Amino acid sequence: MQKPAGTGVGLGLAVLSALTFATSGTFARSLIDAGWSAPSAVIARVGIAALVLAVPAVLALRGRGHVLRRNLGVVGMFGLLGVALAQVCFFNAVRYLPVGVALLLEYLGIILVVGWTWLVHGQRPRRLTVGGSVAALAGLVFVLDVTGAGRLDPLGVLWGLGAAVGLAGYYVLAGRVDEELPSVVLASGGMGVGAVALAVLGLVGVLPLNATYGAVSFAGQETSWLVPIAGLSLVAAAVAYMAGIAGARLLGPRLSSFVGLTEVMFAVLIAWLVLGELPTMVQLLGGLLIVAGVALVRLDELRGNRAPADAAPEPALAGER
């Protein structure tokens, strides 16, 4: 059981993690509008962050190289699904959609996990999970606003749903990680794998690798392209991952994942302040339903797993993409 002081620090770190993760769409939008392709922005973000976290990862692994060797497959799949697929799809989604809407679509990945565990593992969802899933799907209808004036670009919606698949892969894989594998190693290794995979696909011509190195527009001001790159890699990746890891170790994975839902609120607020983007009232209602539905699913997990595992050291890091 966490001490009150430790819980307070953990909550602060978890909120910091959600806030910093929420900046990724806004930073990425400035690069994409300047001519960067989504894969290039993702490579820059996760490649630099992987290098920054490499030192603490190596220190955490001292004398335990065998732990990494037996988890290479999971780290690799985590990098391909939870990092590369999720982020490329999300960054492509923000080309066509408001940042907040793109993030709401991605968060449907948590509902996809419910379907995965039911179909593959035969874990029939309980009533609270079913209710949360229905609420989230109803929220999706409002977010898409198919009959309103704020109709969304179908291509952006498809990219957003692709990001949901990637996020679902992240959660499924994170739940299978060896308890002896330090979280910082999974984060650094996964981001490194994701960056290398995207770079290889780009070099062979499968993915576009476009980048510009002049001024970009950020928060209504002309600035160097290095500013959003630094924000993506250091703020929205390195700081976000490390704060999420530290907070989850103090709170436990389930409580930290609840706090991580505030990322949606922060993303909408940041996009409004920096980019002037604000969803319609109908879409905001849909967003509330999605967040409420995801929260119900998380609450059901918490009620169904009241075990000392809540203090387990390996968190399912909330909001990681």
Side-chain angles (χ1 to χ4, degrees), residues 111 116-117 129 164 221 223:
I111 306 303
W116 169 268
T117 56
T129 292
Q221 303 292 325
T223 186

Side-chain angles (χ1 to χ4, degrees), residues 72 92 122 186 192:
L72 284 177
N92 270 309
L186 176 63

Side-chain angles (χ1 to χ4, degrees), residues 61 63-75 178 181 185:
L61 264 183
R64 292 191 291 170
H66 64 283
V67 175
L68 176 60
R69 287 192 293 274
R70 73 170 180 246
N71 286 282
L72 284 177
V74 173
V75 173
D178 189 335
L181 182 69
V185 175

Side-chain angles (χ1 to χ4, degrees), residues 23-38:
T23 64
S24 65
T26 299
F27 283 126
R29 170 62 63 78
S30 64
L31 292 173
I32 290 171
D33 286 348
W36 283 64
S37 64

Side-chain angles (χ1 to χ4, degrees), residues 271-299:
W272 177 39
L273 295 175
V274 178
L275 302 176
E277 294 181 352
L278 189 64
T280 66
M281 290 304 298
V282 171
Q283 290 171 336
L284 285 174
L285 173 61
L288 289 175
L289 283 172
I290 289 176
V291 173
V294 170
L296 286 173
V297 172
R298 288 298 193 202
L299 179 61

Side-chain angles (χ1 to χ4, degrees), residues 144-152 280 282-283:
L144 297 181
D145 195 12
V146 292
T147 61
R151 195 168 229 175
L152 300 179
T280 66
V282 171
Q283 290 171 336

